Amino acid sequence: MERWGYRVWLTDEGRRWVGCDALAPASVRGSRSDDVRKRSRTSTIWSFRVEGGDGGAVDVYYKTDNSRGVLDVLKNAMRASRSLRAWRSFERLERMGFDVPRRLLCGERRLGPLLLDSFLVTEAVEDAPSIAGLIAPERSAPGREGSELGPRPRRRLIELLAGLVRRLHAGGVYHADLAPTNVLLRPEDGALVLLDADRTVFGTRVPRRKRLKNIAQLNAAFDGVATLADRVRFYRLYDPAHRERSRSQRRALLAEIETLTDRRWR
């Protein structure tokens, strides 16, 4: 459908809010500077409450994508915007049984094939700290802070992460930005919620180098927090075959992951 000069995709729940002009991109950019949660070279994210004409209200995360130059403009002329790619990835992940934010609206504005801008609106995951916020509260995004983890909660978190990454890779899913800031812990049921899915790749299998990259991303986040025993526990839960490898093979794998972690994220 067309709305605010954009082509808009929406869910059934999104239909309830598409008539709300508070979600119009021009309105958000023009009047919600105090609600900006993150601004980077590639995107801007707002967090605010929207009230509907039926008396209802919803807390949303509103993300717009920023062009990174001429090459980015040319690429986006031949493909979906990052907003629409994230929308479709969230939809597919949800069908596969993974937890993702509840989608509401997504929009693109183009001049012919040229992408002018795009946006994605999802319902906020209430009171859900990011994994980064749980590991190191001082490094988390505003509103995503958690409390410092003790040994038992830390082990439980490692178990959850190992299970999540195992399920992703077993399903042929590669999340290209599996950083701790992009995984939330939903408090009511302890589920891990995936964010920032625009570069997620779906296939029949995930290549080994990409599997190790995901593990190294998480490994870097636990620096100074996780023990060697914690890391071994993760690998055993992620890959049951880890126990069957020889000691030298296990050591070589751990060393390879540490090297990749040093090279990319430390």
Side-chain angles (χ1 to χ4, degrees):
M1 67 175 295
E2 297 291 325
R3 180 71 169 137
W4 309 305
Y6 290 72
R7 184 182 178 188
V8 173
W9 290 260
L10 67 167
T11 59
D12 289 342
E13 179 64 17
R15 293 182 187 280
R16 180 182 176 190
W17 303 103
V18 71
C20 182
D21 285 334
L23 292 175
S27 175
V28 174
R29 292 191 180 99
S31 63
R32 292 198 173 273
S33 58
D34 292 340
D35 296 319
V36 172
R37 291 294 175 263
K38 180 181 178 182
R39 194 186 303 274
S40 69
R41 186 171 61 94
T42 59
S43 64
T44 305
I45 300 174
W46 292 261
S47 174
F48 54 90
R49 169 160 285 204
V50 178
E51 296 183 356
D54 59 358
V58 63
D59 293 314
V60 302
Y61 269 74
Y62 194 108
K63 182 176 182 178
T64 61
D65 291 313
N66 306 325
S67 175
R68 291 179 287 184
V70 175
L71 183 59
D72 205 34
V73 170
L74 294 176
K75 285 182 177 179
N76 286 328
M78 299 179 286
R79 65 183 184 185
S81 64
R82 287 191 291 275
S83 298
L84 184 55
R85 295 200 302 273
W87 175 272
R88 289 170 174 169
S89 292
F90 280 149
E91 181 179 25
R92 191 163 177 180
L93 286 166
E94 189 174 13
R95 288 202 308 266
M96 295 176 71
F98 293 98
D99 291 281
V100 297
R102 191 177 192 184
R103 294 170 299 125
L104 297 177
L105 304 171
C106 175
E108 284 188 347
R109 185 164 63 100
R110 293 180 181 267
L111 180 62
L114 297 179
L115 179 69
L116 300 179
D117 63 285
S118 63
F119 68 90
L120 173 67
V121 187
T122 58
E123 189 171 334
V125 184
E126 294 295 331
D127 301 319
S130 70
I131 298 306
L134 290 169
I135 298 168
E138 71 280 0
R139 294 184 298 187
S140 64
R144 294 300 187 194
E145 301 92 341
S147 56
E148 188 173 349
L149 289 178
R152 185 173 296 177
R154 184 183 68 239
R155 286 194 294 270
R156 177 56 181 155
L157 181 58
I158 288 170
E159 291 171 0
L160 289 171
L161 284 169
L164 173 65
V165 180
R166 183 181 67 245
R167 287 177 57 217
L168 285 169
H169 293 170
V173 181
Y174 171 63
H175 191 299
D177 195 9
L178 196 63
T181 52
N182 290 330
V183 185
L184 307 181
L185 179 63
R186 193 165 57 206
E188 64 264 27
D189 60 2
L192 295 180
V193 181
L194 291 165
L195 307 179
D196 207 5
D198 60 285
R199 295 193 297 139
T200 300
V201 179
F202 298 86
T204 56
R205 64 182 298 274
V206 180
R208 182 178 185 276
R209 63 181 180 84
K210 291 187 174 181
R211 296 198 306 270
L212 293 184
K213 179 183 175 182
N214 275 168
I215 294 171
Q217 282 178 296
L218 296 174
N219 186 45
F222 279 88
D223 272 356
V225 178
T227 64
L228 176 59
D230 289 330
R231 287 180 163 86
V232 171
R233 183 178 183 82
F234 177 95
Y235 304 136
R236 285 177 175 174
L237 292 169
Y238 166 74
D239 181 8
H242 188 75
R243 292 175 179 270
E244 301 171 7
R245 297 188 178 98
S246 67
R247 179 174 296 182
S248 61
Q249 288 174 324
R250 292 197 297 268
R251 286 178 174 173
L253 176 60
L254 295 176
E256 184 177 0
I257 292 170
E258 286 296 312
T259 299
L260 180 58
T261 304
D262 287 337
R263 187 184 308 149
R264 296 292 299 273
W265 290 284
R266 285 180 178 144

